[in-house]
């Protein structure tokens, strides 16, 4: 899952991930992001990093994301009250995308939840840690019977993403067991000689992994991965363009507490049992939207011409009336043209519909387009 934050212009005190020295050694351009000093790009540039990830394998530092463990059935029951996923059906080693919801059905955050023997492992967005963690801790205690230490915040762990069509082959060199994992499966294993939580997932649309390791091992692991000929370091800039091509939401841009899962086309994140039980926050509103439709919905937009449409640009109908706005937009290195996502009034959500976008006073042509813009290539089955 990618983070939402707008890059900060004058942050107070920036935190550093355990890979900071790798970034500076590789001459990364560092920016303030979600309270951290993070690499936005390396000397080869965003487009080169993007295309390398699509062709080979890119390594991303995503250690600013929050990582937690929840222990015990009571804590799990409490967590299920505030998320959309069906946790009772979550199998050992299975990872599930879910949503933290508010009572009105708005999205507090999008998260990843994995079941292990005696705990649940969660990854949350960096910008939402201060909101999510108190909610999760309160929920874990609210069910009754939960131990006071039921929620463990993994501040001593880094998170490294390895993404791209060669990610699987690369990781096999350091963790042969990783080849057994399919998309959204997870296991603990040795990677380059250090223990890691390895999950076959990511936020680029490519096959790949997220590797959670203790901070003390992160530098050595990153250097080992970068020593492989197929691997290049990739910053936040290409991470954003990759996820946009894959049609994936960025919290704070495409989803927030005013957005429901149905408006955002994330209804799949609501478990079937949860829908039948109507036992999740905002259920009345969300289930009503499922039955009756929504007033607005998230769509993909193919842009004609070379000028990109950025977040906040108004979307217009053929009469020049404002019918929505862009939430994410930029240049697609793979398609070699601008693309965007945004929300439009329901009647303008049909694929193929021609619309206009006001980009600083100039109206550019756009067309409603299915997402993902670039086919996703997750490994869902063994390839012989």
């Amino acid at each position: 899952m990618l983070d939402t934050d707008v890059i900060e212009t004058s942050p107070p005190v920036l935190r550093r991930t355990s890979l900071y020295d790798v970034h500076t050694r590789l001459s990364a351009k560092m920016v303030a992001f979600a309270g951290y000093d993070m690499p936005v790009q390396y000397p080869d540039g965003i487009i080169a990093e993007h295309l390398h990830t699509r062709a080979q394998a890119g390594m991303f530092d995503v250690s600013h994301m929050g990582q937690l463990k929840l222990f015990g059935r009571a804590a799990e029951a409490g967590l299920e009250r505030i998320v959309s996923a069906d946790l009772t059906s979550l199998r050992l080693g299975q990872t599930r995308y879910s949503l933290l919801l508010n009572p009105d059905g708005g999205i507090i955050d999008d998260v990843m939840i994995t079941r292990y023997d005696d705990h649940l492992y969660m990854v949350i967005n960096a910008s939402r840690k201060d909101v999510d963690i108190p909610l999760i801790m309160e929920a874990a205690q609210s069910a009754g019977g939960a131990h006071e230490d039921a929620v463990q915040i993994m501040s001593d762990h880094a998170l490294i993403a390895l993404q791209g069509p060669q990610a699987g082959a690369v990781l096999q060199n350091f963790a042969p067991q990783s080849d057994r994992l399919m998309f959204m499966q997870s296991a603990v294993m040795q990677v380059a000689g250090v223990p890691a939580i390895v999950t076959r997932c990511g936020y680029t649309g490519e096959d790949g992994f997220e590797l959670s390791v203790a901070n003390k091992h992160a530098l050595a692991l990153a250097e080992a991965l970068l020593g492989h000929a197929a691997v290049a370091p990739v910053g936040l800039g290409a991470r954003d363009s990759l996820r946009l091509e894959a049609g994936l939401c960025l919290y704070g841009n495409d989803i927030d507490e005013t957005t429901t899962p149905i408006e955002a086309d994330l209804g799949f994140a609501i478990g079937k049992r949860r829908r039948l039980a109507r036992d999740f926050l905002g259920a009345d509103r969300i289930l009503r939207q499922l039955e009756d439709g929504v007033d607005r919905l998230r769509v993909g937009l193919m842009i004609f011409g070379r000028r990109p449409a950025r977040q906040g640009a108004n979307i217009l109908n053929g009469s020049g009336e404002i019918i929505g706005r862009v939430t994410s937009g930029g240049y697609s290195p793979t398609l070699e043209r601008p693309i965007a996502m945004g929300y439009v009034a329901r009647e303008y959500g049909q694929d193929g519909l021609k619309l206009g976008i006001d980009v600083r006073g100039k109206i550019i042509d756009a067309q409603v387009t299915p997402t993902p813009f670039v086919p996703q290539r997750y490994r869902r089955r063994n390839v012989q």
Side-chain angles (χ1 to χ4, degrees):
M1 224 151 28
L2 185 66
D3 264 352
T4 108
D5 286 6
V6 176
I7 291 173
E8 302 150 19
T9 55
S10 56
V13 177
L14 294 179
R15 288 170 284 182
R16 294 177 175 178
T17 73
S18 53
L19 299 187
Y20 179 83
D21 289 344
V22 172
H23 306 319
T24 55
R25 177 179 63 80
L26 295 174
S27 302
K29 179 181 178 182
M30 307 297 288
V31 298
F33 189 84
Y36 286 81
D37 204 3
M38 296 294 291
V40 68
Q41 66 180 77
Y42 296 86
D44 285 345
I46 292 172
I47 292 178
E49 294 169 24
H50 179 115
L51 295 175
H52 184 92
T53 304
R54 287 277 183 247
Q56 298 186 63
M59 192 198 80
F60 305 74
D61 180 8
V62 288
S63 303
H64 57 316
M65 306 286 278
Q67 300 181 70
L68 301 88
K69 290 181 179 179
L70 281 80
F71 294 88
R73 292 296 181 181
E76 177 179 325
L79 176 65
E80 192 174 60
R81 293 180 181 178
I82 62 171
V83 300
S84 62
D86 176 5
L87 299 183
T88 61
S89 67
L90 193 62
R91 300 185 301 275
L92 187 67
Q94 181 183 13
T95 298
R96 187 165 286 165
Y97 176 84
S98 187
L99 304 169
L100 276 171
L101 298 171
N102 65 28
D104 197 38
I107 300 171
I108 295 173
D109 199 4
D110 58 338
V111 303
M112 300 288 271
I113 304 173
T114 303
R115 181 176 299 287
Y116 278 96
D117 285 320
D118 64 345
H119 67 274
L120 295 176
Y121 167 63
M122 291 186 68
V123 178
I124 62 178
N125 277 307
S127 64
R128 303 299 286 173
K129 285 191 284 190
D130 291 344
V131 175
D132 294 357
I133 291 174
L135 285 175
I136 292 167
M137 295 184 77
E138 180 182 358
Q141 297 295 330
S142 68
H147 191 273
E148 61 180 9
D149 297 323
V151 180
Q152 175 187 331
I153 302 168
M154 301 168 64
S155 55
D156 59 346
H157 274 61
L159 193 62
I160 299 170
L162 183 68
Q163 301 283 295
Q166 294 190 30
V170 169
L171 197 60
Q172 281 185 66
N173 291 281
F174 304 101
Q177 289 177 282
S178 62
D179 189 51
R180 302 175 186 174
L181 298 177
M182 297 294 109
F183 181 58
M184 299 296 271
Q185 291 181 346
S186 184
V188 175
M189 63 186 71
Q190 295 284 314
V191 181
V194 302
I197 301 171
V198 179
T199 307
R200 198 156 201 157
C201 69
Y203 226 60
T204 63
E206 295 290 341
D207 182 26
F209 304 85
E210 289 187 353
L211 315 171
S212 174
V213 295
N215 286 332
K216 62 183 179 181
H217 299 311
L219 193 61
L221 177 56
E223 295 284 13
L225 293 173
L226 289 170
H228 193 286
V231 180
V234 184
L236 295 176
R239 182 170 162 84
D240 190 51
S241 57
L242 288 158
R243 70 91 196 169
L244 179 57
E245 287 186 347
L248 301 173
C249 290
L250 181 65
Y251 194 91
N253 284 40
D254 308 298
I255 51 176
D256 58 28
E257 291 202 45
T258 70
T259 313
T260 71
I262 311 308
E263 292 170 334
D265 195 23
L266 297 176
F268 68 88
I270 305 171
K272 181 179 179 180
R273 180 183 64 79
R274 307 299 305 279
R275 295 186 190 195
L276 293 174
R278 306 178 72 94
D279 63 348
F280 55 92
L281 289 175
D284 287 345
R285 181 185 182 194
I286 290 171
L287 294 175
R288 186 170 61 250
Q289 288 181 339
L290 271 173
E291 294 172 3
D292 301 336
V294 292
D295 294 330
R296 61 168 186 158
L297 68 161
R298 179 174 63 93
V299 297
L301 296 163
M302 196 71 75
I303 310 296
F304 297 95
R306 306 297 296 176
R307 181 177 293 197
R310 304 292 184 185
Q311 182 188 20
N314 287 326
I315 303 172
L316 314 174
N317 64 14
S319 301
E321 300 168 318
I322 297 174
I323 48 93
R325 71 179 185 90
V326 171
T327 53
S328 287
Y331 179 74
S332 163
T334 304
L335 301 177
E336 299 183 327
R337 64 184 301 169
I339 56 175
M341 294 193 300
Y343 285 83
V344 298
R346 174 170 57 180
E347 59 267 34
Y348 297 100
Q350 310 98 306
D351 291 339
L353 187 66
K354 299 289 177 49
L355 299 172
I357 302 178
D358 185 346
V359 179
R360 293 187 295 276
K362 181 178 176 58
I363 309 303
I364 61 175
D365 294 328
Q367 179 175 301
V368 177
T369 304
T371 58
F373 297 96
V374 173
Q376 296 169 344
R377 297 194 284 185
Y378 306 127
R379 189 189 185 195
R380 300 184 185 274
R381 58 182 177 82
N382 280 312
V383 178
Q384 302 298 328

